[in-house]
Amino acid sequence: MKLLASTLVAGLLLGCGFAHAGAREDLKAFATGLRGLDGQFQQDVFDPQGRKKDTSSGRVAMSAPNLFRWEYRQPYAQLIIADGKTVWVFDPDLKQVSRRPQGVEEASSPLAILLDPARLDRDFIVKDGGDADGLDWLAIKPRSAEAGFRSARIGFIRNQLLRMEYEDALGQRTQIEFSGWK
């Protein structure tokens, strides 16, 4: 009976608008005092029909307010660096560097909330993503049409960012698994 009562109370609380605070609390704990991040990633890209198109891995580093380094190591090397004003893309195989102004797309990235959680409710429509795969999920949609993605889910476990999934404007889904955060 106690289990049934606990389940009913939990269901009523969730149904009455008291959203599961797990992912928000995890984000808050992860981001409190955070000025920079450095970790590893594995990225899988799926087409709109759900077929895996690409797998890559590498290293990511970010620093407040809008500096980042995204380094693909496998299967092909590529380095993307943003210095706050310009995004630089280096392709070592082609021995070529391109650059463009850093814009709304980078500022609206789901990862931007890690270094500036105050942007969460200001720049995104936020919903509880529930619990799945052992993670607490935060579901977000950008308020700006220029964001470069339709929706995203950010998954935490024990106050640590583990996974991010997002869908782009073409319906492709990207899943990024993070590890080794420093």
Side-chain angles (χ1 to χ4, degrees):
M1 283 302 263
K2 285 184 180 181
L3 178 60
L4 179 61
S6 297
T7 304
L8 286 173
V9 169
L12 286 172
L13 288 175
L14 288 173
C16 292
F18 295 100
H20 175 68
R24 273 191 187 262
E25 290 302 314
D26 286 340
L27 171 62
K28 182 178 178 183
F30 185 78
T32 297
L34 189 64
R35 298 182 69 184
L37 284 170
D38 188 335
Q40 309 300 313
F41 71 88
Q42 178 170 322
Q43 175 177 297
D44 295 314
V45 180
F46 301 87
D47 69 17
Q49 290 73 39
R51 293 182 298 256
K52 189 185 289 191
K53 290 176 43 175
D54 187 35
T55 297
S56 54
S57 62
R59 179 176 163 227
V60 60
M62 299 183 299
S63 180
N66 51 7
L67 309 174
F68 71 86
R69 174 187 176 100
W70 194 273
E71 181 180 4
Y72 290 98
R73 294 182 176 161
Q74 297 291 328
Y76 306 105
Q78 184 181 56
L79 178 60
I80 305 167
I81 297 177
D83 65 7
K85 296 178 184 171
T86 304
V87 176
W88 304 85
V89 180
F90 173 56
D91 188 326
D93 291 339
L94 298 176
K95 297 179 182 166
Q96 177 179 322
V97 175
S98 61
R99 66 182 185 145
R100 63 177 171 75
Q102 192 167 339
V104 175
E105 189 171 314
E106 291 83 22
S108 299
S109 164
L111 290 176
I113 64 171
L114 299 175
L115 295 172
D116 187 3
R119 300 179 60 195
L120 182 62
D121 290 306
R122 183 185 74 216
D123 295 349
F124 301 98
I125 298 165
V126 184
K127 292 185 179 178
D128 171 26
D131 303 0
D133 306 322
L135 302 175
D136 291 325
W137 290 94
L138 195 61
I140 63 174
K141 288 188 178 192
R143 294 185 188 276
S144 168
E146 299 171 350
F149 71 99
R150 287 183 190 165
S151 63
R153 292 185 340 139
I154 303 169
F156 293 88
I157 187 166
R158 292 183 297 280
N159 301 332
Q160 289 294 310
L161 172 65
L162 184 65
R163 191 178 304 149
M164 181 177 77
E165 299 174 353
Y166 67 91
E167 183 179 330
D168 68 18
L170 301 175
Q172 291 189 131
R173 186 174 58 85
T174 300
Q175 178 178 306
I176 305 169
E177 190 99 16
F178 297 103
S179 63
W181 286 122
K182 296 177 199 163

